[in-house]
């Protein structure tokens, strides 16, 4: 079953890539507009999912240069796209993700959209965690949880996702009781709102099981 799902996902990604490429070819020679930049960043994001990193980097770097200083295209298109780019790289190339996130920080701090700040904190925490920089990741993880609760509500999926990431960080640091407390909350809400068979619910169950399993 997993193999069939992987094959279906690959087919969908490949088909989506061709559609994004066709759209990009249609608009690429036109003036710099929000729709053109959006088409470019969508294609780049699809390439990241397919692990064609060099091609994606070229597209991202081009759109970054094209819209530098152009508002509101930058805030509405490039800032979220670059954040998504960093998120996609946190597990594969965390050093590159951190470089992107550091470059975005001054703009994020000026951004009026609180959710952009939540995502920046969350993915900075994840990238630092994946580089083994746990202590540095802690304040970013905590800030992501606080902002997500204020922005979307304490029981929202956004807040639960931030809490889940924080719990995984605590588990890696050996702060098992803190991780368990967070995961218990996440799991209770996800089971009630998403159902016991949802992949997010199962992910929390797996992490909780791994930190409570007897050792030795």
């Amino acid at each position: 079953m997993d193999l069939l799902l992987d094959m279906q996902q690959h087919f969908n990604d490949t088909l989506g890539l061709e559609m994004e490429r066709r759209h990009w070819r249609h608009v690429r020679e036109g003036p710099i507009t929000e729709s053109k930049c959006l088409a470019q960043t969508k294609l780049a994001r699809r390439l990241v999912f397919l692990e064609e990193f060099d091609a994606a980097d070229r597209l991202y770097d081009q759109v970054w240069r094209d819209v530098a200083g152009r508002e509101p295209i930058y805030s509405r298109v490039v800032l979220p796209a670059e954040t998504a780019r960093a998120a996609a790289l946190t597990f594969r190339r965390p050093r590159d993700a951190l470089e992107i996130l550091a470059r975005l920080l001054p703009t994020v701090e000026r951004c009026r959209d609180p959710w952009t700040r939540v995502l920046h904190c969350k993915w900075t925490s994840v990238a630092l965690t994946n580089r083994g920089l746990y202590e540095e990741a802690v304040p970013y993880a905590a800030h992501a949880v606080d902002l997500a609760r204020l922005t979307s509500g304490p029981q929202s999926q956004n807040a639960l996702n931030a809490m889940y990431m924080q719990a995984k960080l605590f588990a890696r640091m050996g702060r098992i009781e803190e991780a368990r407390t967070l995961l218990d909350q996440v799991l209770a809400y996800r089971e009630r709102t998403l159902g016991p068979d949802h992949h997010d619910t199962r992910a929390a169950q797996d992490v909780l099981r791994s930190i409570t399993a007897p050792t030795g």
Side-chain angles (χ1 to χ4, degrees):
M1 177 61 89
D2 289 343
L3 178 59
L4 289 175
L5 289 174
D6 288 344
M7 291 173 64
Q8 181 64 46
Q9 184 61 51
H10 180 74
F11 174 78
N12 291 340
D13 287 342
T14 303
L15 181 62
L17 176 63
E18 183 53 38
M19 293 175 62
E20 302 291 2
R21 276 181 169 152
R22 192 157 51 239
H23 185 204
W24 170 236
R25 285 194 294 267
H26 179 69
V27 301
R28 65 184 302 174
E29 300 303 326
I32 298 171
T33 62
E34 185 170 329
S35 59
K36 176 181 177 179
C37 293
L38 189 60
Q40 194 168 352
T41 55
K42 282 184 176 180
L43 174 56
R45 183 170 56 185
R46 183 76 64 174
L47 289 166
V48 169
F49 289 151
L50 291 169
E51 300 191 2
E52 297 186 27
F53 297 122
D54 290 342
D57 286 344
R58 287 194 294 272
L59 281 171
Y60 275 121
D61 289 342
Q62 180 184 337
V63 75
W64 180 277
R65 290 192 300 270
D66 286 346
V67 304
R70 291 173 181 256
E71 292 288 353
I73 296 178
Y74 180 87
S75 295
R76 289 208 298 249
V77 177
V78 180
L79 181 56
E82 283 285 271
T83 304
R85 174 193 188 186
L89 293 174
T90 50
F91 300 101
R92 302 177 179 95
R93 290 161 40 187
R95 184 189 297 272
D96 292 343
L98 287 170
E99 288 180 0
I100 294 169
L101 291 163
R103 183 174 65 182
L104 294 177
L105 181 58
T107 306
V108 170
E109 289 177 339
R110 296 193 303 270
C111 182
R112 294 181 179 180
D113 176 21
W115 185 237
T116 298
R117 295 197 293 272
V118 173
L119 291 176
H120 189 274
C121 283
K122 183 175 80 169
W123 293 117
T124 299
S125 169
V126 174
L128 288 167
T129 300
N130 288 335
R131 291 207 63 207
L133 303 173
Y134 302 141
E135 293 295 340
E136 294 181 38
V138 168
Y140 287 100
H143 197 39
V145 171
D146 291 342
L147 283 173
R149 285 171 171 166
L150 287 171
T151 302
S152 305
Q155 299 178 17
S156 66
Q157 292 304 320
N158 291 333
L160 295 178
N161 290 340
M163 291 165 63
Y164 173 70
M165 294 295 192
Q166 186 181 39
K168 291 180 68 176
L169 169 60
F170 286 159
R172 286 203 189 187
M173 298 176 72
R175 296 165 60 171
I176 302 302
E177 288 306 315
E178 292 168 279
R180 191 203 309 265
T181 299
L182 284 169
L183 287 168
D184 283 340
Q185 296 176 48
V186 170
L187 190 54
Y189 288 129
R190 283 183 175 176
E191 285 180 338
R192 186 164 65 249
T193 58
L194 301 177
D197 296 325
H198 192 277
H199 60 85
D200 284 345
T201 305
R202 290 184 172 181
Q205 290 171 339
D206 289 343
V207 177
L208 184 59
R209 193 179 300 116
S210 71
I211 66 174
T212 56
T215 58

